[in-house]
Amino acid sequence: MQRVNLSTVSEFLLVGLSDAPEVRFLLFVLFLIIYLTTMAGNITILVAIGTDTCLQNPMYFFLGNLSLLDILCPTITALKMLEALLLENKVISFTGCILQLFFLIDVVGTEIFLLAVMVYDCYVAKCHPLQYMNIVSMKLCAHLAIGTWVVGFFNSLLHTSLIFTLFFCDSNEVDQHYCDIPPMLALSCSPTYSRELVILTVAGVLGSSAFVVTLISYIYILMAILCMNSSESRHKAFSTCGSHLTLVCLFYGTTTCTYVRPSSTYSPNQDRIISMLYGILTPLLNPIIYSLRNKEGKCALRRVI
């Protein structure tokens, strides 16, 4: 029986976007502006929610959690990418790669569940407005928020342990600008079928559960909107919910395309684009969609600014 040398690597090279020297500086400036704008928007929302008594309600409590996640997600991925683009330092240690993947999956998983909780909150507000405060108490909000973070943590712990018990040999070049599940599976020289099956099953069950809650809630919200007497109220509600639904579908769709598929379909160039959508674009758009499209949010942000 032939023996195979399975020597693990001590560091990885994140090639990603930094392998295009002719546009590296332009990409650095572009992503730095996007990152700083994202940070400014989400930090402003957190300050507004923490200091304005008008925003001490369940909707803005969940929005505060979403803003925190939208600060963490691009920070986990973009800072290393910016360093690679500016200083050409593509190296990340084995431990650093583990931590980056763990925190990324933790944040992405938590946001998937949090968006489902926020849609449920919207459903109760639209369909049961008179009973809203009795159904969605601050105690329930705290339990739901803690639940999303806990499930996200254990989901990430499972996925990270499955990936980093693999052997990595021959090449240490990660064809992405951060450590993520698909490029790490593609890089491994160990059999990955059983791990892929577990990852697909867990991600499929948890992701589909969040999607079903979101879909059912939006069906009831749509029915409630259609029953409104005022055409102006219907138009306003459709505009707001349509924006929310677009963003939710964008986040769910891109994360599903990334994580709920076999590694044989992995395409580095395609994955780079998809990762930009859920890792950089949605954290930038969330403050605009959820805060600047309602009067309370705009007034609070003006006072903070």
Side-chain angles (χ1 to χ4, degrees), residues 123-144:
Y123 151 73
V124 177
K126 296 289 185 185
C127 300
H128 305 284
L130 299 179
Q131 300 173 322
Y132 176 75
M133 294 308 298
N134 292 328
I135 297 174
V136 187
S137 64
M138 289 306 296
K139 183 178 180 180
L140 176 63
C141 291
H143 288 162
L144 289 173

Side-chain angles (χ1 to χ4, degrees), residues 242-261:
S243 301
H244 293 182
L245 182 59
T246 301
L247 208 57
V248 168
C249 289
L250 176 65
F251 189 80
Y252 279 2
T254 51
T255 52
T256 299
C257 287
T258 300
Y259 299 112
V260 188
R261 66 175 188 184

